[in-house]
Amino acid sequence: MAKILIIDDEKALRQAIAQILQDEGYEILEAADGEQGLKLLASDRPDLVFLDLKMPKTQGMTVLKQLDQKLFEFPVIVMTAYGTSRTAIEAMQLGAYDYLTKPFDLDELVSLTQRALAHHQVDIDQVGQSDLQSVGHPEELLGRSPAMQSIFKLIGRVAPGNTTVLITGESGTGKELVASTLHAASPRSKGSLVKVNCAALPEHLLEAELFGHEKGAFTGANHLRIGRFEQANGGTIFLDEVGELSPVIQGKLLRVLQDHSFERLGSNQTRMVDVRIIAATNRNLEQMVRSNQFREDLYYRFNVVRIELPPLRGRPEDLDQLTQHFLSILALRRGLKQLAMTKAAMTKLRSSPFPGNVRELQNTLERAAVLSGGRTILPEHLIFSQETQSKEQDTETREQGNKGIQKL
């Protein structure tokens, strides 16, 4: 039988809540103020607490602050007649499980009680549980699947040299992480790793970003700017989304790949750089070459060694390890002893195709950790990108339908 503590200075309300919950089969403890409530919390170890925020002597917020990490040993539902955003936000930040505004619906009270107790008493699946003892670097390539093991071996062979590398794969598969790993494992690791998103800037700005410019080279060029290739001298430059490069930039990059030389904008002085080039794309460059969207000579310059990353759905055996890793990182960042998932939540996680790959998995778990309040993650806390898009499309369809009805 679950034990519930009600801390509220309003005797009539406290007794009404107690009667309702006793009728549901729960054992009830009562406290008329925060000070008495804290004593009962120390001596009787309830499974759930209802806490009024506005009380004489020790206020509800003070009780929450004193409980601190104990809030993860039992859920606390705060109650107040002052339903302001400030009090709600502060209570949730302090670790409250949920929030009720007086007067509240009795059915809602019972339902929330059942949900909070079920969440607190849930069985934890060890596969979906964080392990702070085994937390590696947050930005670390992981995977026990044969596909990922082959990639690790290829990185080991390629890293020591200066060979240009092309990393391909869908968005979210970890192309930037592979580039960072290559650089860190290379003799150039003491030099800079300079990253450039080629899709983020228009052509004229990207050219200046890559190669730099002299003062007065164009309107707004008020000072000399060192480009990314010069910044990466002695190190590595990572060119992400090279499938988005314009024909002009493709031509200028070809020269850098051939002889490591270039000119800043507004200058005719040729400059040499010692830099390793790693490129990445989620597009099919071979098809782009066939359709004359990408230079064939540049494609072959990029494609000296190719590392092709599999989608997450193509390596399902890695999902558990990745989940544990991300949960451990999230727990560490949020100052929690651990962060876990139920078996049902883990089953739901495994059923997702994850079109956004590892990045989507990480975002999904981070969202779930927030929605669960740092407690055990339940299936309802897992919201996938495709579900969000589907809901948005359904909403848009309904709105269009309503507009159509109004016109009729």
Side-chain angles (χ1 to χ4, degrees):
M1 179 191 301
K3 187 186 298 182
I4 300 175
L5 171 60
I6 305 167
I7 309 174
D8 196 314
D9 63 310
E10 296 180 48
K11 185 176 181 180
L13 178 62
R14 190 174 70 243
Q15 291 178 340
I17 296 173
Q19 186 60 56
I20 292 165
L21 295 179
Q22 279 174 339
D23 291 344
E24 294 293 323
Y26 301 116
E27 180 184 346
I28 304 299
L29 301 172
E30 296 182 41
D33 57 54
E35 189 175 326
Q36 185 183 0
L38 284 169
K39 290 179 181 177
L40 285 172
L41 281 166
S43 61
D44 285 82
R45 303 290 301 169
D47 300 296
L48 173 64
V49 178
F50 281 92
L51 173 65
D52 186 32
L53 291 183
K54 194 75 173 178
M55 294 183 293
K57 296 184 181 179
T58 307
Q59 295 280 335
M61 288 295 187
T62 304
V63 173
L64 279 175
K65 290 174 183 176
Q66 290 192 33
L67 288 174
D68 194 24
Q69 285 298 315
K70 289 183 180 178
L71 287 168
F72 292 95
E73 298 175 13
F74 49 80
V76 175
I77 298 170
V78 296
M79 307 178 292
T80 182
Y82 305 92
T84 66
S85 61
R86 183 181 60 81
T87 53
I89 291 169
E90 186 179 357
M92 299 307 284
Q93 284 179 327
L94 288 171
Y97 179 81
D98 213 326
Y99 186 95
L100 280 173
T101 304
K102 301 175 184 178
F104 39 77
D105 182 76
L106 298 182
D107 289 337
E108 180 186 4
L109 173 73
V110 173
S111 175
L112 183 54
T113 299
Q114 293 170 342
R115 189 163 68 248
L117 287 170
H119 196 176
H120 178 56
Q121 296 167 356
V122 74
D123 290 328
I124 294 172
D125 182 354
Q126 295 297 319
V127 173
Q129 184 174 355
S130 62
D131 179 8
L132 299 187
Q133 300 301 315
S134 62
V135 175
H137 193 279
E139 301 296 323
E140 182 179 10
L141 276 173
L142 295 172
R144 300 188 180 99
S145 63
M148 291 307 296
Q149 289 297 313
S150 295
I151 286 170
F152 298 158
K153 292 174 187 175
L154 182 56
I155 290 173
R157 295 190 188 103
V158 173
N162 288 314
T163 308
T164 300
V165 179
L166 177 64
I167 307 168
T168 62
E170 296 178 6
S171 293
T173 49
K175 296 187 289 295
E176 184 176 338
L177 196 51
V178 170
S180 298
T181 305
L182 270 168
H183 173 74
S186 76
R188 295 175 175 270
S189 59
K190 293 181 180 179
S192 299
L193 171 62
V194 177
K195 301 175 182 180
V196 183
N197 186 338
C198 299
L201 296 170
E203 178 185 305
H204 66 288
L205 292 179
L206 181 59
E207 185 175 358
E209 185 76 12
L210 290 172
F211 308 114
H213 61 74
E214 300 290 339
K215 181 178 179 180
F218 52 84
T219 303
N222 300 321
H223 54 80
L224 170 69
R225 178 182 175 86
I226 302 297
R228 294 301 187 91
F229 272 97
E230 284 184 83
Q231 292 174 24
N233 192 30
T236 307
I237 188 166
F238 173 54
L239 303 175
D240 199 8
E241 304 295 351
V242 293
E244 309 302 322
L245 292 169
S246 70
V248 172
I249 302 296
Q250 288 181 37
K252 291 181 179 290
L253 274 177
L254 180 63
R255 180 185 172 191
V256 182
L257 266 76
Q258 286 174 332
D259 54 25
H260 289 247
S261 68
F262 66 95
E263 288 88 32
R264 293 177 188 155
L265 286 178
S267 171
N268 57 10
Q269 180 182 351
T270 299
R271 298 179 180 278
M272 303 294 293
V273 286
D274 171 24
V275 62
R276 183 181 198 171
I277 298 172
I278 301 174
T281 182
N282 61 3
R283 301 187 65 180
N284 187 327
L285 292 187
E286 293 91 340
Q287 187 175 338
M288 292 181 70
V289 168
R290 289 193 293 270
S291 59
N292 295 319
Q293 295 177 288
F294 201 86
R295 292 182 62 132
E296 185 175 17
D297 46 5
L298 180 61
Y299 166 68
Y300 286 118
R301 287 286 180 181
F302 277 143
N303 195 32
V304 179
V305 173
R306 183 169 184 152
I307 298 176
E308 190 163 354
L309 293 178
L312 184 55
R313 62 184 175 276
R315 51 182 185 119
E317 58 267 65
D318 291 337
L319 185 64
D320 289 357
Q321 183 189 16
L322 288 167
T323 297
Q324 182 176 339
H325 174 72
F326 290 136
L327 288 178
S328 299
I329 296 299
L330 287 167
L332 198 62
R333 288 175 180 170
R334 295 170 69 88
L336 305 174
K337 290 181 180 178
Q338 67 175 28
L339 191 58
M341 301 178 70
T342 63
K343 294 180 180 180
M346 198 67 206
T347 298
K348 181 178 180 179
L349 198 70
R350 293 186 184 115
S351 70
S352 173
F354 286 108
N357 295 295
V358 179
R359 185 187 297 125
E360 184 186 349
L361 171 64
Q362 185 173 8
N363 291 343
T364 299
L365 292 172
E366 187 167 357
R367 185 189 302 119
V370 171
L371 295 178
S372 72
R375 295 176 174 84
T376 303
I377 294 171
L378 304 177
E380 55 263 35
H381 298 139
L382 295 171
I383 302 172
F384 302 117
S385 298
Q386 60 267 33
E387 289 179 356
T388 304
Q389 292 169 1
S390 177
K391 288 176 182 177
E392 289 174 350
Q393 290 170 357
D394 290 344
T395 302
E396 185 178 345
T397 302
R398 283 196 300 271
E399 288 175 351
Q400 290 175 350
N402 291 336
K403 288 178 182 178
I405 292 170
Q406 290 170 3
K407 289 179 181 178
L408 291 172

